[in-house]
Amino acid sequence: MPAMRTQLRRLARLAATRLDAGARALRRFARGAAAAERTLVIGGVRSGKSRHAERLLSRHHQVTYLAAGHQDPARLAALRSRLPAGWLVRELGDTSDLAAALHTATGPVLIECLGTWLGRVLDEVGARRAAEGWEYRLDERLLEFLQAWSQTRHPAVAVTNDVGSGMEPESATARLFRDVLGTLNTQVSAHADAVHLMVAGRVLELG
């Protein structure tokens, strides 16, 4: 078990390093592309980030709401009932569908949320069980999303969890999730036109 924890920590650092390098290349590629209004909304649990993200797109009559994480039927039904009539709630099958949905979007998009989406990605690529080659599959999935995010031509809002401000996670898998999500948040922020931090229902505009 200690050996596996050490390996997961090493691989988490490797994945973060590779993601940094890939995102730098994407930034160079995306320069000069037609810019869209992209906003990252980040905050802790129950900080009000989801409702704030919805308000940011409230002026649009038609919005595609990408339910990127696992959603139970009751929550999805409640979500559909409170959103405007023209908003379409779309569940994702495979996590690669997130990049495809951004590429094919014909109007504003709201992504809810990157934290739960990443949890699914880690399961799908075999990261939690340290399956052979998982770090390369993770790179591919994350860079696919970052490319789609950086190139979107429609208003897009992504909601994500703030990580790293609390206590050190006890398990290696929790530390892996924290490290990769922290790096992903940084790269999404680098390709965003604005970043809003939610604290106790209040908005701090970071730029």
Side-chain angles (χ1 to χ4, degrees), residues 18 43 61 93 96 101 114 121 123 133 141 148 150 155 166 176 194 203 207:
R18 288 171 59 85
H61 297 296
S96 62
L114 294 182
V121 171
D123 286 335
R141 193 61 50 86
S150 67
L176 172 66
V203 185

Side-chain angles (χ1 to χ4, degrees), residues 14-93:
L14 174 63
T17 300
R18 288 171 59 85
L19 181 57
D20 282 335
R24 285 196 298 273
L26 278 175
R27 283 199 294 273
R28 291 193 297 271
F29 176 78
R31 286 174 188 150
E37 183 183 349
R38 294 177 294 266
T39 304
L40 177 65
V41 179
I42 185 169
V45 175
R46 303 301 180 191
S47 61
K49 58 187 183 294
S50 297
R51 293 301 181 100
H52 176 65
E54 293 166 17
R55 286 194 294 270
L56 289 175
L57 293 174
S58 61
R59 68 183 184 277
H60 298 283
H61 297 296
Q62 294 183 324
V63 174
T64 299
Y65 191 115
L66 298 175
H70 289 297
Q71 298 281 350
D72 63 70
R75 291 189 64 179
L76 284 171
L79 180 63
R80 290 188 172 98
S81 68
R82 69 176 175 79
L83 290 176
W87 287 35
L88 171 66
V89 178
R90 177 177 170 184
E91 299 175 72
L92 299 181

Side-chain angles (χ1 to χ4, degrees), residues 12-13 15-21 23 118 142 146 163 177-189:
R13 289 194 296 271
T17 300
R18 288 171 59 85
L19 181 57
D20 282 335
L118 177 62
L142 297 183
L146 285 171
V163 291
F177 174 82
R178 177 202 60 188
D179 293 346
V180 177
L181 182 58
T183 302
L184 177 62
N185 288 344
T186 299
Q187 300 305 337
V188 173
S189 172

